[in-house]
Amino acid sequence: MRSPSPFTARRCALFAALLLVPALAMSAPTIPALSIIDSSDGGKTWSVSIQILLLMTALTLLPSLLLAATSFTRIVIVLAILRQALGMPQTPPNQILVGLALFLTYFVMAPVIDRINADALQPYLAGTIEMSDAAAKAQEPLREFMLSQTREPDLQLFAGLAGKEGFASPAEVPMSVLLPSFMTSELKTAFQIGFLTFIPFLIIDLVVSSVLMSMGMMMLSPMLISLPFKIMLFVLVDGWGLIVGTLASSFAPHT
């Protein structure tokens, strides 16, 4: 009888090892997915692994929080309208506009971030407060910022839709009402600033179109002629400084 080849023997050994993997995995000690431990003050708290899991989950919500609870929405919409008013839909690129909006957002929100760091983050890292207390303290400066930028009619609108009218103080306004009210107010303010930004460039387009029609040049695109004049006007009046300064000053109580 012919003995098996070395290659066949290796295949059989590998197959046997694969059969043993599930058994070894089942015999390995398991880590509890959820555990509650006793805190130093006699209460109950989540284990460190669960707290880290909750923190990592919260990090995935940061983009939505950036859009919903900061000045980013107003800034990026005004910059997009400005680009359209100039007649250059792709210049500056989206990456440049988003980057500028992010840094302006950081500038506007710096006082709020400093308060959150001092009142919530540092005490939590030092172990003097629990995660729930840190979250409550971090919410306070953010609520103050959103309330100062939210219009009263928008707040009343969403409070009425939620059936929670008649708040005795701003502190009683729930986040479920404050967040949509704040975003609606930001959209209104952004479009108002964008409208005022659009008017000078629209006047240039109208003047150029009228001149071209009076000269009989109907086949020549007015946008092609007005673009250099709009860029020249924007540069001469220091347009970027005016736009950035207007956006920053529109959040004057927190800058």
Side-chain angles (χ1 to χ4, degrees):
M1 182 177 180
R2 187 174 61 180
S3 60
S5 63
F7 178 74
T8 304
R10 286 195 297 268
R11 292 179 60 183
C12 292
L14 179 60
F15 181 72
L18 291 177
L19 291 178
L20 292 176
V21 169
L24 293 175
M26 293 179 61
S27 62
T30 59
I31 301 176
L34 180 64
S35 61
I36 300 177
I37 59 177
D38 296 328
S39 60
S40 58
D41 57 358
K44 299 290 185 179
T45 184
W46 301 108
S47 63
V48 176
S49 59
I50 297 301
Q51 294 184 17
I52 294 176
L53 178 62
L54 293 176
L55 181 61
M56 297 301 294
T57 304
L59 289 177
T60 62
L61 301 176
L62 280 179
S64 300
L65 183 63
L66 176 67
L67 294 175
T70 66
S71 59
F72 180 82
T73 300
R74 182 189 305 185
I75 294 173
V76 76
I77 289 178
V78 172
L79 293 179
I81 294 177
L82 170 65
R83 184 174 64 176
Q84 192 70 28
L86 283 170
M88 298 183 294
Q90 302 299 327
T91 304
N94 290 331
Q95 294 86 346
I96 301 298
L97 287 187
V98 173
L100 178 59
L102 284 174
F103 282 109
L104 284 177
T105 300
Y106 174 72
F107 172 78
V108 171
M109 302 297 296
V112 178
I113 295 174
D114 292 340
R115 285 186 57 188
I116 293 175
N117 180 63
D119 298 342
L121 181 59
Q122 293 303 323
Y124 173 71
L125 294 178
T128 57
I129 60 175
E130 299 293 337
M131 179 181 291
S132 58
D133 297 331
K137 289 182 178 295
Q139 192 180 108
E140 294 177 3
L142 201 58
R143 285 175 56 88
E144 293 178 7
F145 171 79
M146 289 190 291
L147 283 170
S148 66
Q149 304 297 328
T150 303
R151 290 179 171 86
E152 187 69 24
D154 297 327
L155 196 60
Q156 293 177 354
L157 169 65
F158 285 97
L161 293 175
K164 300 178 180 179
E165 295 180 321
F167 298 111
S169 64
E172 296 182 2
V173 180
M175 292 296 289
S176 60
V177 173
L178 181 57
L179 278 173
S181 304
F182 172 74
M183 291 198 68
T184 304
S185 295
E186 287 295 283
L187 289 174
K188 291 181 179 179
T189 305
F191 276 87
Q192 288 175 357
I193 298 176
F195 170 75
L196 296 177
T197 304
F198 212 107
I199 290 178
F201 303 105
L202 179 61
I203 293 175
I204 293 178
D205 288 333
L206 292 175
V207 171
V208 171
S209 298
S210 300
V211 171
L212 290 177
M213 290 186 65
S214 64
M215 296 176 63
M217 298 182 179
M218 299 182 182
M219 300 301 294
L220 186 60
S221 173
M223 296 294 297
L224 184 64
I225 304 300
S226 63
L227 180 59
F229 291 98
K230 290 190 288 188
I231 295 177
M232 180 182 65
L233 173 67
F234 191 69
V235 172
L236 290 177
V237 300
D238 189 19
W240 286 114
L242 290 176
I243 290 295
V244 171
T246 300
L247 287 173
S249 62
S250 64
F251 302 94
H254 298 275
T255 56

